[in-house]
Amino acid sequence: MGCGGSGQLTAAVKDEQMQQQRLPSIGEGQQTRPILVHSLLVEEEIQHIKSLSAEVSRRNQKIHCMRSGWSTRYLHVDGLFQRKAPALLQKLINAAVAADAGPAGWKLLSQTHKRGRLNPRVIEHHSVTPGGALSDKDHLDQG
């Protein structure tokens, strides 16, 4: 018996199955209710995120939608969030995986996470002042 290739074959089959897993359409996604995770972050973590956001601002990184009382700072640029808040990043990933696995989730993240292949592409900090709004009321993130 001793070729030892069955583990590789099993992993390849699972990868193929994951690629075939149907993602929700944009329309389906827009009709889905958000999954709220209450009290996920403690005050110290919130302050850490705000300090990273201020650091990004000092570096003059792109600020999205500064008009209309809404700004977005991209905390993932140059790996800032990953370097300076790895435990917080893991906490957010774990919360996303748990929400996805729950009754209202799409059941898409667990296998990817188990294989160590779940990595956030974008980490944003949104700051909204009273009356603030996105300048494009039909704004939609996708991809």
Side-chain angles (χ1 to χ4, degrees):
M1 294 279 252
C3 287
S6 65
Q8 292 173 341
L9 179 59
T10 302
V13 169
K14 286 184 179 181
D15 280 344
E16 185 177 326
Q17 289 170 345
M18 287 301 291
Q19 290 172 0
Q20 293 174 359
Q21 193 172 21
R22 190 181 81 76
L23 297 175
S25 70
I26 292 171
E28 289 169 324
Q30 288 179 318
Q31 293 174 16
T32 303
R33 296 179 56 105
I35 299 172
L36 303 178
V37 182
H38 296 283
S39 303
L40 176 65
L41 303 177
V42 298
E43 185 61 32
E44 179 181 320
E45 293 166 326
I46 293 168
Q47 291 308 315
H48 188 51
I49 291 169
K50 288 180 177 182
S51 77
L52 292 174
S53 183
E55 184 174 335
V56 167
S57 180
R58 284 190 300 275
R59 292 180 181 186
N60 291 321
Q61 295 292 340
K62 180 179 177 182
I63 296 176
H64 177 71
C65 296
M66 189 59 172
R67 298 173 291 153
S68 305
W70 185 301
S71 67
T72 304
R73 294 183 181 147
Y74 302 94
L75 305 182
H76 63 280
V77 173
D78 297 328
L80 178 74
F81 195 87
Q82 294 87 329
R83 275 193 330 275
K84 295 199 172 187
L88 184 51
L89 177 61
Q90 192 58 56
K91 184 176 187 176
L92 294 171
I93 289 171
N94 291 343
V97 170
D100 181 68
W106 291 331
K107 318 294 186 268
L108 297 173
L109 301 179
S110 178
Q111 289 302 314
T112 302
H113 183 54
K114 285 178 186 174
R115 290 195 309 271
R117 295 178 55 194
L118 183 60
N119 297 302
R121 183 174 56 96
V122 177
I123 303 168
E124 301 177 350
H125 176 240
H126 296 262
S127 178
V128 185
T129 58
L134 288 171
S135 56
D136 175 4
K137 67 179 183 65
D138 296 320
H139 175 75
L140 170 66
D141 287 340
Q142 60 180 329

